[in-house]
Amino acid sequence: MTTDHTLTAENLTIGYGDRVVIENLDLLVPPGRITAIVGANACGKSTLLRSMSRLLAPRAGHVLLDGREVHRMPAKELARTLGLLPQSPIAPEGITVADLVGRGRNPHQRILSRWSRQDDLAVAAALDATHTAELADRSVDELSGGQRQRVWIAMALAQQTEVLLLDEPTTFLDVSHQVEVLDLLTDLNADRGTTIVMVLHDLNMAARYADHLIALAAGSLHAAGDPATVLTEDCVRAVFGLDSQVIVDPVSGKPLMLPIGRHHVRDQAAEPRADQAAQS
């Protein structure tokens, strides 16, 4: 199953105060696929996600969901189709995990409507998928950073939107939980056809899990497309100012970026060849 919602940016210019962060950006998010946005710090990744979710109004241009400007759509109508997990969400003081995850159902509540069994099932499924059901009665204030991040992801899942934007969803998570969350998002995409757009700092995780990569550099689109096309040594140098070697990931078959720094670089010329080693 694949959703057919289209999310695009046309000639988009956004910023804060007098500072322009992104200028004249044209962008198409492939429907029903997983897209990862990558780039150096302060290149505009989170700002772009905020504008795509209508949290930040554009100075020029448009963000369109199914051909409609998101900034002109009623908030609840948009929230039934498009969900956002921001970078640093803040929970109300003293709220329990179950209550916070339940707030993901707010866009589906009508005037005078009651909480339904469907809402209960959505919350339970989200808690189960993120392995946070055992935390349901605890205060969010008491949780570790990693636990809180999984609870926020559960709230986003409970919203059951067909387009989901996530700003650094693996923040605060150890490597096993990073893989678990990205596997979960992959399952969501495969099972429900949910269009997923996420900002990731880990280039190799982005290349492994995304169908489509968007590389931003200095507020502009540097490259977009299949990870094998986008994640190249030239792209890493242009976007991050970093020399690297890109090889094939032996686990996933996707591109794997190996950074080259000033230290701990093997001197191949000084190493004995295999035939020389055998003779000695």
Side-chain angles (χ1 to χ4, degrees):
M1 182 173 62
T2 301
T3 60
D4 56 1
H5 294 291
T6 59
L7 183 62
T8 59
E10 295 181 353
N11 199 33
L12 183 67
T13 297
I14 46 182
Y16 304 98
D18 296 330
R19 184 169 66 95
V20 173
V21 178
I22 289 177
E23 189 169 15
N24 301 329
L25 178 71
D26 291 315
L27 192 66
L28 170 65
V29 173
R33 307 302 290 263
I34 298 176
T35 294
I37 302 173
V38 299
N41 290 342
C43 72
K45 302 184 298 296
S46 297
T47 300
L48 174 60
L49 219 61
R50 285 173 56 82
S51 186
M52 292 172 76
S53 63
R54 77 171 265 159
L55 289 182
L56 180 64
R59 296 185 178 188
H62 313 280
V63 176
L64 304 174
L65 177 64
D66 300 333
R68 300 173 61 191
E69 289 194 51
V70 299
H71 296 87
R72 296 181 180 272
M73 293 177 65
K76 267 200 169 184
E77 180 186 353
L78 177 65
R80 286 193 289 270
T81 301
L82 185 149
L84 169 71
L85 177 61
Q87 189 176 89
S88 301
I90 299 175
E93 186 175 355
I95 193 170
T96 66
V97 167
D99 287 341
L100 181 63
V101 175
R103 293 194 175 198
R105 301 302 299 164
N106 286 350
H108 302 278
Q109 304 300 311
R110 309 286 184 175
I111 297 176
L112 302 181
S113 67
R114 296 182 178 180
W115 187 268
S116 68
R117 174 165 172 73
Q118 182 178 355
D119 296 319
D120 281 329
L121 292 174
V123 170
L127 290 169
D128 183 61
T130 53
H131 302 290
T132 52
E134 69 277 8
L135 305 175
D137 296 327
R138 291 181 58 182
S139 170
V140 175
D141 299 334
E142 302 172 0
L143 305 181
S144 69
Q147 288 173 324
R148 281 198 298 270
Q149 187 69 359
R150 285 189 286 144
V151 169
W152 283 111
I153 292 171
M155 190 190 78
L157 296 183
Q159 194 172 335
Q160 292 186 330
T161 58
E162 294 181 332
V163 181
L164 183 56
L165 312 182
L166 305 104
D167 194 353
E168 299 185 35
T170 56
T171 297
F172 304 119
L173 300 180
D174 59 44
V175 65
S176 65
H177 283 115
Q178 288 179 36
V179 170
E180 186 176 291
V181 165
L182 292 172
D183 280 345
L184 170 63
L185 295 175
T186 301
D187 290 339
L188 185 67
N189 171 259
D191 297 341
R192 300 184 188 175
T194 305
T195 298
I196 293 172
V197 183
M198 54 185 175
V199 170
L200 288 179
H201 273 296
D202 190 319
L203 271 178
N204 292 327
M205 286 293 195
R208 176 178 290 194
Y209 281 92
D211 305 302
H212 187 78
L213 276 187
I214 293 171
L216 298 182
S220 298
L221 178 64
H222 178 79
D226 180 88
T229 302
V230 174
L231 186 51
T232 64
E233 293 166 10
D234 287 341
C235 181
V236 173
R237 187 177 300 110
V239 172
F240 295 94
L242 176 69
D243 288 331
S244 67
Q245 183 177 355
V246 176
I247 64 173
V248 176
D249 185 337
V251 174
S252 67
K254 299 288 190 74
L256 179 70
M257 189 277 294
L258 306 176
I260 299 174
R262 294 186 297 108
H263 300 288
H264 305 293
V265 179
R266 189 176 65 181
D267 185 355
Q268 295 181 345
E271 292 184 359
R273 297 199 310 269
D275 56 349
Q276 293 175 333
Q279 292 175 5
S280 62

